[in-house]
Amino acid sequence: MTSIENVLETPRWGKPLSAPAKLNLFLYVIGRRADGYHLLQTLFRFIDFADSLVFLPRDDGKIVLETPLANIPAEKNLAVRAARLLRERTGVHAGVSISLEKRLPSGGGLGGGSSDAATTLLALNHLWQTGLSRPELQALGLNLGADVPVFIFGQNAFAEGVGEELTPIVLPTSWYLLLFPPVAADTAAVFSSPDLRRDTMRITDWQEGLEPGHNFGRNDLEPVATALYPVIGEYLSWLRAHAGRGWMSGSGATVFAECPDEAAALALAHDLPSGWKWRIAKGLSQHPLLI
């Protein structure tokens, strides 16, 4: 397993660049705005499990995804949309070829598409010399999705609002066992469910979300996601029975348990049912693409 921890990447044409996953160490839905967006409080943790993107310049002014994904039209790919949005915002006329090595599961709650978009904005802002500041890129990224700003922000963070109000957090070194139920969770379906509670009491200190007790590690999306996709509940039940803990990231489907070290994570994985997909990941102290 190759870790991306402490390897800071400077964008260059033709160089593979990381788009790391995130975990939500807790996620509260505390309300809903008039425009339908949900108000959240969550703790984002980057991990050393990532997609990889390569950017090459083009002379014809086109934005081309060289590695289209099955069942997703290229024009809807978030990396392509990010490149187009940056070009529209800045008025540049450059073209780019994008190659995406997809490792993060679609519908996995790990922020894969959002992370791809963020890496694209960060990289092309540098390579095209468009000159936008990091806060400007965060505001631009919010047009693509609520999780995009934190990846541009570049640090583990306590997030509020719809996910764009970010406070940097220093987290201790941790390892995680990730389990991947065989389903792609539909984020829109989870958030639009009439069964989703949207009245969790707001906390004033992010550490409250990690204190032992009723709310430790809670994800308000879990009851809806497990009702829509019972297999997620099966994987969570296994974790909680064998590790005494287990949480769902984002709107699912990935579930995880925090472990004190890699050996403990591997020992837990050793007892998994045959055929279950899993991975060991280490928490990152920051996003690898800090420019």
Side-chain angles (χ1 to χ4, degrees):
M1 183 183 303
T2 300
S3 174
I4 57 176
E5 175 68 281
N6 297 324
V7 180
L8 298 187
E9 302 171 354
T10 300
R12 293 199 303 269
W13 294 115
K15 177 182 179 180
L17 300 173
S18 297
K22 59 80 179 171
L23 296 175
N24 298 88
L25 300 189
F26 63 81
L27 194 160
Y28 301 158
V29 182
I30 63 172
R32 194 175 193 179
R33 301 193 317 197
D35 61 7
Y37 281 92
H38 287 81
L39 297 172
L40 309 174
Q41 290 188 305
T42 189
L43 184 57
F44 286 111
R45 177 75 195 253
F46 299 140
I47 56 175
D48 68 346
F49 180 30
D51 290 341
S52 180
L53 294 98
V54 175
F55 303 92
L56 291 171
R58 295 180 66 95
D59 296 328
D60 58 7
K62 295 181 180 180
I63 295 173
V64 177
L65 181 63
E66 301 286 358
T67 52
L69 303 175
N71 303 320
I72 301 178
E75 63 270 15
K76 292 188 177 181
N77 182 277
L78 278 171
V80 171
R81 291 176 58 198
R84 290 177 176 169
L85 185 60
L86 180 64
R87 198 164 67 171
E88 292 168 5
R89 167 67 171 77
T90 60
V92 301
H93 301 288
V96 64
S97 290
I98 304 172
S99 296
L100 169 60
E101 185 176 353
K102 194 70 182 166
R103 303 186 187 97
L104 306 182
S106 177
L110 299 177
S114 295
S115 189
D116 296 342
T119 290
T120 299
L121 290 173
L122 287 166
L124 293 182
N125 184 58
H126 179 84
L127 295 168
W128 284 344
Q129 299 182 0
T130 51
L132 296 186
S133 67
R134 192 175 292 272
E136 288 175 321
L137 288 173
Q138 288 173 218
L140 193 63
L142 187 59
N143 293 284
L144 299 167
D147 285 347
V148 178
V150 71
F151 290 106
I152 298 172
F153 186 66
Q155 301 177 63
N156 297 313
F158 177 50
E160 300 184 88
V162 298
E164 86 286 10
E165 300 173 18
L166 300 166
T167 301
I169 300 297
V170 176
L171 294 171
T173 299
S174 292
W175 292 81
Y176 302 91
L177 172 63
L178 312 182
L179 304 184
F180 307 110
V183 65
D186 185 332
T187 298
V190 173
F191 272 104
S192 64
S193 171
D195 296 325
L196 176 63
R197 292 197 59 178
R198 301 172 172 90
D199 59 356
T200 290
M201 184 174 295
R202 183 180 184 274
I203 58 175
T204 58
D205 184 339
W206 66 270
Q207 296 188 68
E208 293 179 45
L210 297 180
E211 290 177 355
H214 177 66
N215 289 331
F216 180 73
R218 195 181 82 209
N219 183 336
D220 285 342
L221 305 180
E222 180 189 314
V224 172
T226 53
L228 290 172
Y229 310 102
V231 68
I232 298 176
E234 294 173 16
Y235 278 56
L236 278 170
S237 295
W238 188 94
L239 275 180
R240 290 165 181 169
H242 290 78
R245 60 199 180 279
W247 305 283
M248 185 184 80
S249 185
S251 56
T254 303
V255 301
F256 65 95
E258 184 173 297
C259 300
D261 51 42
E262 185 178 20
L266 287 169
L268 183 58
H270 179 75
D271 295 329
L272 282 168
S274 176
W276 282 25
K277 292 184 178 180
W278 58 277
R279 183 183 179 94
I280 305 299
K282 185 181 180 182
L284 298 176
S285 60
Q286 62 187 39
H287 193 291
L289 194 63
L290 279 175
I291 58 175

